[in-house]
Amino acid sequence: MNYCTILLTKLLDVIDENFLKSLINKYNADYKVHKLTTEVHLLYLLYFHLTKKESLEDFVSDLKNNKQLNKVLPKISKSQLSRKNEDKTYKIFFEIFQHLFDKLTSNKGLKKALKEIGSVKILDSSTVSLCLSLFPWAKFRSTKGGIKLHTLYDLNTNAPENIIISDAVIHDKEIFDDLTFNPSYTYLFDRAYIKYQKFDEFIENDIYFVTRAKSNTKIELIRSNF
């Protein structure tokens, strides 16, 4: 928990303080607000997602029982946070995202590395939780709904090339057949996408890829260059 507390403050350091202040003034977001400021609200949301909470009740319980965490995040009731989430305009968080995205794209070190490596694309998925009573078609677990967003992201253009939506229960590797892979690119993806038949096709077609091996992966050493 101490790690999460430290990480939260570090994440805020990435956002320029003057930018955040100007954004708050632009939307008059903290007018007559004393406790649940925009900055604190942002920290709540970050902690919620970093710790993968499934409900506000679970989140509020964490705050109530952790004094170390309260040094950064004050205690709050579920109803208070719920009202804040409903009342706060999404535009503030969108502009924060855009601000951070612009900082990322101006990263000269990344651009220099890509010139040496070549064209790189990243494939990853994000699960979006949905209320099962409102979205009965999005069955995920017995009491929870959800979908997956599989995003193929081009590092050279800093933009998503393709986004595929699937049921949350579908395994990541099953969407390989819905994507087109080009020999002139190097593809990065995590081990959830491991599909050995597809890797054989990549090798046959000179498509470069990098992924993490599973713990039970059987490896046969063919040649060593050392």
Side-chain angles (χ1 to χ4, degrees), residues 133-179:
S133 61
L134 296 177
F135 303 94
W137 50 267
K139 292 182 179 179
F140 182 26
R141 296 174 184 164
S142 58
T143 60
K144 186 177 180 180
I147 59 172
K148 274 186 181 179
L149 301 180
H150 304 268
T151 303
L152 186 62
Y153 188 88
D154 192 325
L155 268 184
N156 298 78
T157 61
N158 288 310
E161 177 186 283
N162 196 353
I163 298 176
I164 296 175
I165 300 175
S166 73
D167 293 341
V169 294
I170 292 180
H171 201 283
D172 290 353
K173 65 183 179 182
E174 300 306 321
I175 61 90
F176 264 140
D177 292 334
D178 296 323
L179 294 167

mmCIF file of all heavy atoms in Angstrom, residues 133-179:
data_model
loop_
_atom_site.group_PDB
_atom_site.id
_atom_site.type_symbol
_atom_site.label_atom_id
_atom_site.label_comp_id
_atom_site.label_asym_id
_atom_site.label_seq_id
_atom_site.Cartn_x
_atom_site.Cartn_y
_atom_site.Cartn_z
ATOM 1 N N SER A 133 -27.018 -5.799 -15.367
ATOM 2 C CA SER A 133 -28.463 -5.584 -15.459
ATOM 3 C C SER A 133 -28.820 -4.627 -16.590
ATOM 4 O O SER A 133 -29.899 -4.705 -17.170
ATOM 5 C CB SER A 133 -29.006 -5.038 -14.135
ATOM 6 O OG SER A 133 -28.399 -3.785 -13.824
ATOM 7 N N LEU A 134 -27.883 -3.722 -16.927
ATOM 8 C CA LEU A 134 -28.115 -2.776 -18.027
ATOM 9 C C LEU A 134 -27.609 -3.304 -19.363
ATOM 10 O O LEU A 134 -28.125 -2.937 -20.414
ATOM 11 C CB LEU A 134 -27.430 -1.439 -17.712
ATOM 12 C CG LEU A 134 -27.945 -0.670 -16.489
ATOM 13 C CD1 LEU A 134 -27.116 0.591 -16.262
ATOM 14 C CD2 LEU A 134 -29.411 -0.297 -16.674
ATOM 15 N N PHE A 135 -26.593 -4.169 -19.307
ATOM 16 C CA PHE A 135 -26.014 -4.734 -20.531
ATOM 17 C C PHE A 135 -25.988 -6.264 -20.411
ATOM 18 O O PHE A 135 -24.921 -6.868 -20.292
ATOM 19 C CB PHE A 135 -24.597 -4.197 -20.752
ATOM 20 C CG PHE A 135 -24.514 -2.698 -20.816
ATOM 21 C CD1 PHE A 135 -24.217 -1.959 -19.673
ATOM 22 C CD2 PHE A 135 -24.728 -2.016 -22.003
ATOM 23 C CE1 PHE A 135 -24.134 -0.580 -19.716
ATOM 24 C CE2 PHE A 135 -24.659 -0.641 -22.064
ATOM 25 C CZ PHE A 135 -24.363 0.085 -20.908
ATOM 26 N N PRO A 136 -27.148 -6.911 -20.439
ATOM 27 C CA PRO A 136 -27.206 -8.368 -20.247
ATOM 28 C C PRO A 136 -26.472 -9.158 -21.326
ATOM 29 O O PRO A 136 -26.106 -10.319 -21.104
ATOM 30 C CB PRO A 136 -28.715 -8.657 -20.277
ATOM 31 C CG PRO A 136 -29.322 -7.501 -21.014
ATOM 32 C CD PRO A 136 -28.480 -6.323 -20.666
ATOM 33 N N TRP A 137 -26.253 -8.538 -22.485
ATOM 34 C CA TRP A 137 -25.559 -9.228 -23.578
ATOM 35 C C TRP A 137 -24.050 -9.329 -23.325
ATOM 36 O O TRP A 137 -23.354 -10.138 -23.952
ATOM 37 C CB TRP A 137 -25.784 -8.473 -24.893
ATOM 38 C CG TRP A 137 -25.501 -6.995 -24.786
ATOM 39 C CD1 TRP A 137 -26.406 -6.009 -24.505
ATOM 40 C CD2 TRP A 137 -24.233 -6.345 -24.922
ATOM 41 N NE1 TRP A 137 -25.785 -4.780 -24.470
ATOM 42 C CE2 TRP A 137 -24.445 -4.958 -24.717
ATOM 43 C CE3 TRP A 137 -22.950 -6.785 -25.193
ATOM 44 C CZ2 TRP A 137 -23.418 -4.021 -24.777
ATOM 45 C CZ3 TRP A 137 -21.913 -5.864 -25.256
ATOM 46 C CH2 TRP A 137 -22.159 -4.498 -25.048
ATOM 47 N N ALA A 138 -23.530 -8.497 -22.398
ATOM 48 C CA ALA A 138 -22.080 -8.450 -22.166
ATOM 49 C C ALA A 138 -21.705 -9.340 -20.988
ATOM 50 O O ALA A 138 -21.082 -8.897 -20.028
ATOM 51 C CB ALA A 138 -21.643 -7.007 -21.914
ATOM 52 N N LYS A 139 -22.064 -10.616 -21.045
ATOM 53 C CA LYS A 139 -21.795 -11.522 -19.933
ATOM 54 C C LYS A 139 -20.297 -11.742 -19.754
ATOM 55 O O LYS A 139 -19.585 -12.039 -20.704
ATOM 56 C CB LYS A 139 -22.501 -12.859 -20.164
ATOM 57 C CG LYS A 139 -24.016 -12.760 -20.081
ATOM 58 C CD LYS A 139 -24.671 -14.116 -20.255
ATOM 59 C CE LYS A 139 -26.191 -14.009 -20.140
ATOM 60 N NZ LYS A 139 -26.858 -15.311 -20.327
ATOM 61 N N PHE A 140 -19.858 -11.583 -18.516
ATOM 62 C CA PHE A 140 -18.441 -11.720 -18.190
ATOM 63 C C PHE A 140 -18.276 -12.678 -17.011
ATOM 64 O O PHE A 140 -17.670 -13.723 -17.104
ATOM 65 C CB PHE A 140 -17.855 -10.347 -17.874
ATOM 66 C CG PHE A 140 -16.392 -10.347 -17.558
ATOM 67 C CD1 PHE A 140 -15.546 -11.328 -18.050
ATOM 68 C CD2 PHE A 140 -15.852 -9.352 -16.763
ATOM 69 C CE1 PHE A 140 -14.186 -11.325 -17.755
ATOM 70 C CE2 PHE A 140 -14.498 -9.328 -16.459
ATOM 71 C CZ PHE A 140 -13.673 -10.323 -16.951
ATOM 72 N N ARG A 141 -18.868 -12.287 -15.873
ATOM 73 C CA ARG A 141 -18.907 -13.153 -14.701
ATOM 74 C C ARG A 141 -20.360 -13.257 -14.249
ATOM 75 O O ARG A 141 -21.234 -12.643 -14.844
ATOM 76 C CB ARG A 141 -18.023 -12.573 -13.589
ATOM 77 C CG ARG A 141 -16.547 -12.530 -13.972
ATOM 78 C CD ARG A 141 -15.728 -11.818 -12.925
ATOM 79 N NE ARG A 141 -14.336 -11.693 -13.345
ATOM 80 C CZ ARG A 141 -13.467 -10.865 -12.794
ATOM 81 N NH1 ARG A 141 -13.853 -10.094 -11.769
ATOM 82 N NH2 ARG A 141 -12.226 -10.789 -13.220
ATOM 83 N N SER A 142 -20.590 -14.029 -13.192
ATOM 84 C CA SER A 142 -21.964 -14.273 -12.763
ATOM 85 C C SER A 142 -22.696 -12.990 -12.381
ATOM 86 O O SER A 142 -23.910 -12.865 -12.572
ATOM 87 C CB SER A 142 -21.983 -15.235 -11.577
ATOM 88 O OG SER A 142 -21.210 -14.717 -10.498
ATOM 89 N N THR A 143 -21.982 -12.010 -11.848
ATOM 90 C CA THR A 143 -22.627 -10.759 -11.422
ATOM 91 C C THR A 143 -22.045 -9.537 -12.105
ATOM 92 O O THR A 143 -22.269 -8.413 -11.657
ATOM 93 C CB THR A 143 -22.499 -10.589 -9.892
ATOM 94 O OG1 THR A 143 -21.097 -10.561 -9.538
ATOM 95 C CG2 THR A 143 -23.180 -11.729 -9.157
ATOM 96 N N LYS A 144 -21.293 -9.748 -13.175
ATOM 97 C CA LYS A 144 -20.578 -8.626 -13.781
ATOM 98 C C LYS A 144 -20.547 -8.756 -15.296
ATOM 99 O O LYS A 144 -20.382 -9.861 -15.836
ATOM 100 C CB LYS A 144 -19.145 -8.583 -13.234
ATOM 101 C CG LYS A 144 -18.325 -7.387 -13.671
ATOM 102 C CD LYS A 144 -16.964 -7.441 -13.002
ATOM 103 C CE LYS A 144 -16.103 -6.254 -13.402
ATOM 104 N NZ LYS A 144 -14.771 -6.302 -12.754
ATOM 105 N N GLY A 145 -20.742 -7.626 -15.980
ATOM 106 C CA GLY A 145 -20.652 -7.611 -17.432
ATOM 107 C C GLY A 145 -19.358 -6.952 -17.873
ATOM 108 O O GLY A 145 -18.676 -6.302 -17.087
ATOM 109 N N GLY A 146 -19.021 -7.112 -19.149
ATOM 110 C CA GLY A 146 -17.804 -6.469 -19.623
ATOM 111 C C GLY A 146 -17.515 -6.723 -21.087
ATOM 112 O O GLY A 146 -18.031 -7.664 -21.687
ATOM 113 N N ILE A 147 -16.694 -5.864 -21.659
ATOM 114 C CA ILE A 147 -16.186 -6.022 -23.020
ATOM 115 C C ILE A 147 -14.669 -5.799 -23.005
ATOM 116 O O ILE A 147 -14.127 -5.285 -22.029
ATOM 117 C CB ILE A 147 -16.833 -5.023 -24.012
ATOM 118 C CG1 ILE A 147 -16.563 -3.573 -23.566
ATOM 119 C CG2 ILE A 147 -18.315 -5.296 -24.160
ATOM 120 C CD1 ILE A 147 -16.991 -2.535 -24.573
ATOM 121 N N LYS A 148 -14.024 -6.203 -24.065
ATOM 122 C CA LYS A 148 -12.591 -5.960 -24.208
ATOM 123 C C LYS A 148 -12.330 -5.078 -25.421
ATOM 124 O O LYS A 148 -12.953 -5.256 -26.476
ATOM 125 C CB LYS A 148 -11.832 -7.275 -24.379
ATOM 126 C CG LYS A 148 -11.454 -7.967 -23.089
ATOM 127 C CD LYS A 148 -10.582 -9.175 -23.365
ATOM 128 C CE LYS A 148 -10.227 -9.894 -22.072
ATOM 129 N NZ LYS A 148 -9.385 -11.089 -22.337
ATOM 130 N N LEU A 149 -11.413 -4.141 -25.258
ATOM 131 C CA LEU A 149 -10.946 -3.319 -26.365
ATOM 132 C C LEU A 149 -9.530 -3.768 -26.706
ATOM 133 O O LEU A 149 -8.605 -3.581 -25.921
ATOM 134 C CB LEU A 149 -10.943 -1.835 -25.980
ATOM 135 C CG LEU A 149 -12.277 -1.227 -25.543
ATOM 136 C CD1 LEU A 149 -12.087 0.250 -25.200
ATOM 137 C CD2 LEU A 149 -13.325 -1.377 -26.634
ATOM 138 N N HIS A 150 -9.359 -4.392 -27.849
ATOM 139 C CA HIS A 150 -8.037 -4.819 -28.315
ATOM 140 C C HIS A 150 -7.503 -3.725 -29.230
ATOM 141 O O HIS A 150 -8.059 -3.471 -30.302
ATOM 142 C CB HIS A 150 -8.133 -6.135 -29.084
ATOM 143 C CG HIS A 150 -8.770 -7.244 -28.297
ATOM 144 N ND1 HIS A 150 -8.048 -8.134 -27.536
ATOM 145 C CD2 HIS A 150 -10.083 -7.595 -28.148
ATOM 146 C CE1 HIS A 150 -8.878 -8.987 -26.969
ATOM 147 N NE2 HIS A 150 -10.116 -8.678 -27.327
ATOM 148 N N THR A 151 -6.434 -3.087 -28.801
ATOM 149 C CA THR A 151 -5.923 -1.923 -29.535
ATOM 150 C C THR A 151 -4.559 -2.218 -30.145
ATOM 151 O O THR A 151 -3.628 -2.633 -29.438
ATOM 152 C CB THR A 151 -5.802 -0.702 -28.607
ATOM 153 O OG1 THR A 151 -7.073 -0.440 -28.017
ATOM 154 C CG2 THR A 151 -5.338 0.524 -29.386
ATOM 155 N N LEU A 152 -4.444 -1.999 -31.440
ATOM 156 C CA LEU A 152 -3.163 -2.077 -32.133
ATOM 157 C C LEU A 152 -2.653 -0.645 -32.275
ATOM 158 O O LEU A 152 -3.231 0.156 -33.013
ATOM 159 C CB LEU A 152 -3.317 -2.735 -33.508
ATOM 160 C CG LEU A 152 -2.020 -2.998 -34.270
ATOM 161 C CD1 LEU A 152 -1.125 -3.976 -33.504
ATOM 162 C CD2 LEU A 152 -2.322 -3.558 -35.663
ATOM 163 N N TYR A 153 -1.602 -0.336 -31.542
ATOM 164 C CA TYR A 153 -1.116 1.046 -31.433
ATOM 165 C C TYR A 153 0.204 1.204 -32.176
ATOM 166 O O TYR A 153 1.149 0.430 -31.964
ATOM 167 C CB TYR A 153 -0.937 1.397 -29.957
ATOM 168 C CG TYR A 153 -0.634 2.850 -29.688
ATOM 169 C CD1 TYR A 153 -1.655 3.775 -29.521
ATOM 170 C CD2 TYR A 153 0.682 3.300 -29.594
ATOM 171 C CE1 TYR A 153 -1.380 5.111 -29.272
ATOM 172 C CE2 TYR A 153 0.966 4.634 -29.345
ATOM 173 C CZ TYR A 153 -0.061 5.526 -29.181
ATOM 174 O OH TYR A 153 0.225 6.846 -28.941
ATOM 175 N N ASP A 154 0.275 2.200 -33.045
ATOM 176 C CA ASP A 154 1.477 2.478 -33.839
ATOM 177 C C ASP A 154 2.353 3.474 -33.090
ATOM 178 O O ASP A 154 1.973 4.635 -32.910
ATOM 179 C CB ASP A 154 1.081 3.032 -35.208
ATOM 180 C CG ASP A 154 2.250 3.054 -36.184
ATOM 181 O OD1 ASP A 154 3.383 3.293 -35.732
ATOM 182 O OD2 ASP A 154 2.032 2.841 -37.386
ATOM 183 N N LEU A 155 3.519 3.033 -32.625
ATOM 184 C CA LEU A 155 4.409 3.918 -31.862
ATOM 185 C C LEU A 155 4.976 5.039 -32.711
ATOM 186 O O LEU A 155 5.310 6.105 -32.207
ATOM 187 C CB LEU A 155 5.568 3.109 -31.256
ATOM 188 C CG LEU A 155 5.378 2.546 -29.846
ATOM 189 C CD1 LEU A 155 6.662 1.879 -29.390
ATOM 190 C CD2 LEU A 155 4.990 3.640 -28.879
ATOM 191 N N ASN A 156 5.128 4.814 -34.004
ATOM 192 C CA ASN A 156 5.731 5.825 -34.878
ATOM 193 C C ASN A 156 4.793 6.986 -35.165
ATOM 194 O O ASN A 156 5.225 8.119 -35.296
ATOM 195 C CB ASN A 156 6.193 5.176 -36.180
ATOM 196 C CG ASN A 156 7.259 4.120 -35.944
ATOM 197 O OD1 ASN A 156 6.951 3.008 -35.537
ATOM 198 N ND2 ASN A 156 8.515 4.467 -36.165
ATOM 199 N N THR A 157 3.504 6.705 -35.259
ATOM 200 C CA THR A 157 2.536 7.772 -35.506
ATOM 201 C C THR A 157 1.848 8.234 -34.226
ATOM 202 O O THR A 157 1.101 9.203 -34.237
ATOM 203 C CB THR A 157 1.448 7.296 -36.492
ATOM 204 O OG1 THR A 157 0.752 6.178 -35.921
ATOM 205 C CG2 THR A 157 2.068 6.881 -37.817
ATOM 206 N N ASN A 158 2.119 7.500 -33.115
ATOM 207 C CA ASN A 158 1.499 7.814 -31.823
ATOM 208 C C ASN A 158 -0.020 7.849 -31.915
ATOM 209 O O ASN A 158 -0.672 8.779 -31.429
ATOM 210 C CB ASN A 158 2.017 9.159 -31.289
ATOM 211 C CG ASN A 158 3.446 9.063 -30.807
ATOM 212 O OD1 ASN A 158 3.786 8.177 -30.034
ATOM 213 N ND2 ASN A 158 4.293 9.956 -31.281
ATOM 214 N N ALA A 159 -0.552 6.826 -32.550
ATOM 215 C CA ALA A 159 -2.010 6.764 -32.719
ATOM 216 C C ALA A 159 -2.444 5.307 -32.862
ATOM 217 O O ALA A 159 -1.690 4.474 -33.380
ATOM 218 C CB ALA A 159 -2.438 7.558 -33.944
ATOM 219 N N PRO A 160 -3.643 4.978 -32.391
ATOM 220 C CA PRO A 160 -4.152 3.613 -32.585
ATOM 221 C C PRO A 160 -4.471 3.365 -34.047
ATOM 222 O O PRO A 160 -5.064 4.206 -34.711
ATOM 223 C CB PRO A 160 -5.420 3.583 -31.714
ATOM 224 C CG PRO A 160 -5.827 5.013 -31.567
ATOM 225 C CD PRO A 160 -4.568 5.807 -31.604
ATOM 226 N N GLU A 161 -4.067 2.220 -34.548
ATOM 227 C CA GLU A 161 -4.323 1.870 -35.950
ATOM 228 C C GLU A 161 -5.631 1.098 -36.087
ATOM 229 O O GLU A 161 -6.361 1.238 -37.057
ATOM 230 C CB GLU A 161 -3.172 1.017 -36.484
ATOM 231 C CG GLU A 161 -3.369 0.541 -37.907
ATOM 232 C CD GLU A 161 -2.291 -0.405 -38.342
ATOM 233 O OE1 GLU A 161 -1.179 0.067 -38.651
ATOM 234 O OE2 GLU A 161 -2.529 -1.626 -38.348
ATOM 235 N N ASN A 162 -5.925 0.276 -35.069
ATOM 236 C CA ASN A 162 -7.123 -0.557 -35.135
ATOM 237 C C ASN A 162 -7.592 -0.869 -33.719
ATOM 238 O O ASN A 162 -6.773 -1.112 -32.832
ATOM 239 C CB ASN A 162 -6.816 -1.862 -35.882
ATOM 240 C CG ASN A 162 -8.078 -2.588 -36.312
ATOM 241 O OD1 ASN A 162 -9.186 -2.205 -35.948
ATOM 242 N ND2 ASN A 162 -7.916 -3.658 -37.087
ATOM 243 N N ILE A 163 -8.886 -0.835 -33.497
ATOM 244 C CA ILE A 163 -9.462 -1.199 -32.210
ATOM 245 C C ILE A 163 -10.570 -2.212 -32.455
ATOM 246 O O ILE A 163 -11.510 -1.932 -33.199
ATOM 247 C CB ILE A 163 -10.026 0.023 -31.461
ATOM 248 C CG1 ILE A 163 -8.914 1.032 -31.152
ATOM 249 C CG2 ILE A 163 -10.713 -0.412 -30.156
ATOM 250 C CD1 ILE A 163 -9.403 2.304 -30.493
ATOM 251 N N ILE A 164 -10.439 -3.376 -31.860
ATOM 252 C CA ILE A 164 -11.429 -4.443 -32.015
ATOM 253 C C ILE A 164 -12.133 -4.649 -30.678
ATOM 254 O O ILE A 164 -11.491 -4.778 -29.638
ATOM 255 C CB ILE A 164 -10.756 -5.747 -32.470
ATOM 256 C CG1 ILE A 164 -10.146 -5.556 -33.869
ATOM 257 C CG2 ILE A 164 -11.752 -6.898 -32.480
ATOM 258 C CD1 ILE A 164 -9.350 -6.750 -34.345
ATOM 259 N N ILE A 165 -13.450 -4.672 -30.713
ATOM 260 C CA ILE A 165 -14.251 -4.880 -29.513
ATOM 261 C C ILE A 165 -14.714 -6.330 -29.477
ATOM 262 O O ILE A 165 -15.247 -6.844 -30.456
ATOM 263 C CB ILE A 165 -15.466 -3.938 -29.484
ATOM 264 C CG1 ILE A 165 -15.012 -2.466 -29.514
ATOM 265 C CG2 ILE A 165 -16.307 -4.189 -28.236
ATOM 266 C CD1 ILE A 165 -16.155 -1.483 -29.618
ATOM 267 N N SER A 166 -14.483 -6.977 -28.340
ATOM 268 C CA SER A 166 -14.923 -8.361 -28.193
ATOM 269 C C SER A 166 -15.583 -8.548 -26.826
ATOM 270 O O SER A 166 -15.493 -7.681 -25.957
ATOM 271 C CB SER A 166 -13.732 -9.328 -28.315
ATOM 272 O OG SER A 166 -12.914 -9.269 -27.157
ATOM 273 N N ASP A 167 -16.242 -9.690 -26.639
ATOM 274 C CA ASP A 167 -16.758 -10.039 -25.316
ATOM 275 C C ASP A 167 -15.572 -10.175 -24.363
ATOM 276 O O ASP A 167 -14.482 -10.626 -24.754
ATOM 277 C CB ASP A 167 -17.529 -11.355 -25.363
ATOM 278 C CG ASP A 167 -18.816 -11.243 -26.177
ATOM 279 O OD1 ASP A 167 -19.274 -10.103 -26.373
ATOM 280 O OD2 ASP A 167 -19.331 -12.285 -26.615
ATOM 281 N N ALA A 168 -15.784 -9.830 -23.106
ATOM 282 C CA ALA A 168 -14.696 -9.890 -22.131
ATOM 283 C C ALA A 168 -14.226 -11.319 -21.874
ATOM 284 O O ALA A 168 -13.082 -11.540 -21.461
ATOM 285 C CB ALA A 168 -15.127 -9.235 -20.827
ATOM 286 N N VAL A 169 -15.089 -12.287 -22.105
ATOM 287 C CA VAL A 169 -14.731 -13.686 -21.832
ATOM 288 C C VAL A 169 -13.843 -14.279 -22.924
ATOM 289 O O VAL A 169 -13.231 -15.334 -22.725
ATOM 290 C CB VAL A 169 -15.994 -14.560 -21.671
ATOM 291 C CG1 VAL A 169 -16.770 -14.161 -20.435
ATOM 292 C CG2 VAL A 169 -16.871 -14.478 -22.913
ATOM 293 N N ILE A 170 -13.767 -13.642 -24.069
ATOM 294 C CA ILE A 170 -12.959 -14.169 -25.172
ATOM 295 C C ILE A 170 -11.479 -13.941 -24.895
ATOM 296 O O ILE A 170 -11.062 -12.844 -24.509
ATOM 297 C CB ILE A 170 -13.362 -13.493 -26.502
ATOM 298 C CG1 ILE A 170 -14.775 -13.940 -26.895
ATOM 299 C CG2 ILE A 170 -12.371 -13.841 -27.611
ATOM 300 C CD1 ILE A 170 -15.280 -13.350 -28.180
ATOM 301 N N HIS A 171 -10.682 -14.972 -25.075
ATOM 302 C CA HIS A 171 -9.258 -14.877 -24.810
ATOM 303 C C HIS A 171 -8.587 -13.946 -25.826
ATOM 304 O O HIS A 171 -8.955 -13.918 -27.005
ATOM 305 C CB HIS A 171 -8.611 -16.263 -24.874
ATOM 306 C CG HIS A 171 -7.295 -16.339 -24.154
ATOM 307 N ND1 HIS A 171 -6.136 -15.836 -24.685
ATOM 308 C CD2 HIS A 171 -6.983 -16.821 -22.932
ATOM 309 C CE1 HIS A 171 -5.140 -16.032 -23.838
ATOM 310 N NE2 HIS A 171 -5.632 -16.637 -22.755
ATOM 311 N N ASP A 172 -7.592 -13.213 -25.350
ATOM 312 C CA ASP A 172 -6.918 -12.214 -26.201
ATOM 313 C C ASP A 172 -6.405 -12.797 -27.517
ATOM 314 O O ASP A 172 -6.541 -12.181 -28.574
ATOM 315 C CB ASP A 172 -5.751 -11.582 -25.438
ATOM 316 C CG ASP A 172 -6.208 -10.676 -24.312
ATOM 317 O OD1 ASP A 172 -7.425 -10.436 -24.227
ATOM 318 O OD2 ASP A 172 -5.374 -10.206 -23.531
ATOM 319 N N LYS A 173 -5.803 -13.976 -27.458
ATOM 320 C CA LYS A 173 -5.165 -14.544 -28.647
ATOM 321 C C LYS A 173 -6.159 -14.845 -29.768
ATOM 322 O O LYS A 173 -5.768 -14.970 -30.935
ATOM 323 C CB LYS A 173 -4.400 -15.799 -28.280
ATOM 324 C CG LYS A 173 -5.266 -16.949 -27.791
ATOM 325 C CD LYS A 173 -4.406 -18.130 -27.373
ATOM 326 C CE LYS A 173 -5.262 -19.280 -26.858
ATOM 327 N NZ LYS A 173 -4.427 -20.421 -26.406
ATOM 328 N N GLU A 174 -7.444 -14.939 -29.426
ATOM 329 C CA GLU A 174 -8.438 -15.294 -30.430
ATOM 330 C C GLU A 174 -8.709 -14.177 -31.432
ATOM 331 O O GLU A 174 -9.364 -14.410 -32.448
ATOM 332 C CB GLU A 174 -9.750 -15.697 -29.750
ATOM 333 C CG GLU A 174 -9.625 -16.901 -28.813
ATOM 334 C CD GLU A 174 -9.010 -18.109 -29.504
ATOM 335 O OE1 GLU A 174 -9.333 -18.357 -30.684
ATOM 336 O OE2 GLU A 174 -8.196 -18.800 -28.856
ATOM 337 N N ILE A 175 -8.240 -12.971 -31.153
ATOM 338 C CA ILE A 175 -8.518 -11.867 -32.083
ATOM 339 C C ILE A 175 -7.407 -11.707 -33.131
ATOM 340 O O ILE A 175 -7.480 -10.842 -33.997
ATOM 341 C CB ILE A 175 -8.738 -10.536 -31.330
ATOM 342 C CG1 ILE A 175 -7.516 -10.116 -30.520
ATOM 343 C CG2 ILE A 175 -9.938 -10.622 -30.430
ATOM 344 C CD1 ILE A 175 -6.533 -9.260 -31.241
ATOM 345 N N PHE A 176 -6.351 -12.538 -33.065
ATOM 346 C CA PHE A 176 -5.262 -12.456 -34.032
ATOM 347 C C PHE A 176 -5.766 -12.503 -35.476
ATOM 348 O O PHE A 176 -5.267 -11.784 -36.347
ATOM 349 C CB PHE A 176 -4.271 -13.599 -33.823
ATOM 350 C CG PHE A 176 -3.080 -13.213 -32.978
ATOM 351 C CD1 PHE A 176 -2.569 -14.087 -32.048
ATOM 352 C CD2 PHE A 176 -2.472 -11.991 -33.129
ATOM 353 C CE1 PHE A 176 -1.482 -13.754 -31.278
ATOM 354 C CE2 PHE A 176 -1.371 -11.633 -32.363
ATOM 355 C CZ PHE A 176 -0.880 -12.522 -31.427
ATOM 356 N N ASP A 177 -6.737 -13.359 -35.738
ATOM 357 C CA ASP A 177 -7.217 -13.546 -37.109
ATOM 358 C C ASP A 177 -7.975 -12.336 -37.636
ATOM 359 O O ASP A 177 -8.249 -12.244 -38.839
ATOM 360 C CB ASP A 177 -8.115 -14.788 -37.191
ATOM 361 C CG ASP A 177 -7.334 -16.079 -36.958
ATOM 362 O OD1 ASP A 177 -6.117 -16.073 -37.233
ATOM 363 O OD2 ASP A 177 -7.932 -17.073 -36.496
ATOM 364 N N ASP A 178 -8.324 -11.411 -36.759
ATOM 365 C CA ASP A 178 -9.038 -10.207 -37.191
ATOM 366 C C ASP A 178 -8.092 -9.042 -37.492
ATOM 367 O O ASP A 178 -8.538 -7.946 -37.820
ATOM 368 C CB ASP A 178 -10.028 -9.768 -36.098
ATOM 369 C CG ASP A 178 -11.119 -10.809 -35.867
ATOM 370 O OD1 ASP A 178 -11.552 -11.423 -36.851
ATOM 371 O OD2 ASP A 178 -11.505 -11.012 -34.695
ATOM 372 N N LEU A 179 -6.797 -9.298 -37.370
ATOM 373 C CA LEU A 179 -5.809 -8.242 -37.595
ATOM 374 C C LEU A 179 -4.905 -8.592 -38.770
ATOM 375 O O LEU A 179 -4.685 -9.762 -39.095
ATOM 376 C CB LEU A 179 -4.949 -8.042 -36.340
ATOM 377 C CG LEU A 179 -5.664 -7.496 -35.104
ATOM 378 C CD1 LEU A 179 -4.773 -7.653 -33.874
ATOM 379 C CD2 LEU A 179 -6.019 -6.029 -35.298
#
